[in-house]
Amino acid sequence: MEPTAPTETLEAATRALEREQRELSRERRALERFAKRVAAFETAVPRVSNSARRIGDETPPGLTSVRKAYAETVMSVPHYTKRYDDTWLESVAEEFSDELAAALAHHEVLSLQLKRSLLAATRQSVANRTQLLSSIETECESVAAAERTCSALLEELTALRNQPLERLEFNALWLTRERLEGLRERCDELADERQREIRRERRFSLAEVGSLEQYLYQECERTYPILAAIATLGAAIARVLETVDRSLEAVVIDDTGRCSGDVRRRESDANPVVP
């Protein structure tokens, strides 16, 4: 297998991040528009509806102005149906709280307290997305840096692998092996750095799906694409190392026919002993 998978994994991660940035930015702007419209609504003395409503009812409950504003802003983003596809009260319950959704379902006028609660919840949703977008921006930088590093390592690996290994002399083979070991050590360092970065990440409250990676890459093949790319690259390095080791074991060191029996150390600086 050609060692191209590392960069492909990171390219897929980049596409997922860009899509999430685009959708979250649209949602944040929609929530901001919704807040402006709610802020302009007049309030009235609360009047409880005689007919109880359930979240998910198809018939629109009271507070028509709020429902209309929500539908024309939050629920009007291009990806809404594909990503959520729920009713407005289900959306309010998920976005804000079950309590707020119940209040909107059971009241026919917008009280001052309900308006304040709705505005506070909307502003919190905007803040959540702002925080998440900041985290995604940091993740984009990490993925881009990993892609640059993996591409450079892959380029060097490809150059080493494309040598006529079966025809190289001992010294050239040993130098190739040392360079491969250097690549493998660099992969180990990158993996350690990424693990530390993941441990420093905070959990977020926008969706109950666990870690940031689980949220961002839930539709990708790999949940931890940077670690997956590094592991794939490491496996490719290991395969080339095996090929070099086999060539080292078979190479003739001197004219007497003596072969290298230990590829893990130099033998007298790789110079043959002249009898």
Side-chain angles (χ1 to χ4, degrees):
M1 179 185 295
E2 293 296 315
T4 56
T7 52
E8 290 176 357
T9 299
L10 295 173
E11 287 168 1
T14 297
R15 290 192 296 272
L17 292 171
E18 290 174 346
R19 180 178 63 250
E20 196 63 29
Q21 279 183 313
R22 183 169 57 253
E23 293 182 357
L24 284 172
S25 295
R26 288 171 175 169
E27 291 175 10
R28 182 174 63 178
R29 289 193 297 272
L31 285 161
E32 289 171 341
R33 292 196 303 272
F34 175 67
K36 287 182 180 179
R37 290 181 63 169
V38 171
F41 291 158
E42 294 184 358
T43 60
V45 177
R47 185 173 69 246
V48 178
S49 173
N50 292 328
S51 58
R53 304 283 183 176
R54 294 178 305 162
I55 294 175
D57 282 350
E58 293 183 0
T59 303
L63 290 173
T64 303
S65 58
V66 175
R67 177 185 59 79
K68 185 171 183 292
Y70 194 84
E72 291 176 351
T73 56
V74 178
M75 299 179 73
S76 69
V77 293
H79 61 275
Y80 189 87
T81 300
K82 180 179 179 181
R83 291 294 296 270
Y84 306 112
D85 193 24
D86 51 13
T87 68
W88 89 280
L89 284 178
E90 289 171 339
S91 178
V92 168
E94 183 69 24
E95 185 67 50
F96 303 142
S97 70
D98 291 335
E99 293 76 15
L100 193 50
L104 291 172
H106 291 85
H107 289 78
E108 296 180 352
V109 296
L110 184 65
S111 68
L112 179 59
Q113 182 57 46
L114 183 54
K115 178 178 178 178
R116 287 173 176 171
S117 297
L118 189 56
L119 285 173
T122 304
R123 289 164 183 154
Q124 184 58 55
S125 288
V126 170
N128 288 345
R129 281 170 174 77
T130 299
Q131 181 181 11
L132 185 52
L133 281 165
S134 177
S135 298
I136 293 175
E137 182 61 34
T138 299
E139 181 71 3
C140 285
E141 294 171 359
S142 296
V143 171
E147 187 169 3
R148 288 193 298 270
T149 302
C150 285
S151 294
L153 295 177
L154 180 60
E155 183 177 352
E156 185 173 355
L157 173 62
T158 302
L160 294 173
R161 186 201 57 206
N162 288 343
Q163 296 179 104
L165 298 175
E166 69 282 357
R167 298 197 299 272
L168 292 182
E169 297 181 351
F170 183 87
N171 283 354
L173 282 170
W174 194 270
L175 179 59
T176 296
R177 193 179 198 283
E178 287 188 331
R179 290 175 64 185
L180 289 168
E181 285 288 0
L183 294 180
R184 183 156 64 178
E185 289 175 4
R186 181 59 180 139
C187 282
D188 291 342
E189 292 171 357
L190 289 172
D192 289 341
E193 291 172 5
R194 181 56 178 171
Q195 290 282 14
R196 288 193 294 271
E197 187 175 313
I198 290 173
R199 286 193 291 269
R200 287 194 301 268
E201 286 175 353
R202 75 261 131 239
R203 298 170 73 86
F204 61 95
S205 59
L206 181 63
E208 296 177 356
V209 294
S211 70
L212 181 65
E213 286 80 11
Q214 289 173 311
Y215 172 77
L216 293 175
Y217 304 119
Q218 55 187 306
E219 296 181 3
C220 293
E221 183 179 352
R222 303 298 184 93
T223 303
Y224 296 90
I226 294 179
L227 289 176
I230 295 169
T232 302
L233 184 57
I237 293 169
R239 289 194 294 271
V240 181
L241 264 170
E242 290 175 359
T243 301
V244 171
D245 284 349
R246 287 194 297 269
S247 296
L248 276 167
E249 291 172 355
V251 72
V252 175
I253 295 181
D254 55 34
D255 293 338
T256 64
R258 183 167 59 83
C259 295
S260 168
D262 185 357
V263 298
R264 289 173 294 279
R265 61 182 178 84
R266 291 183 184 274
E267 293 186 2
S268 302
D269 295 328
N271 293 321
V273 177
V274 179

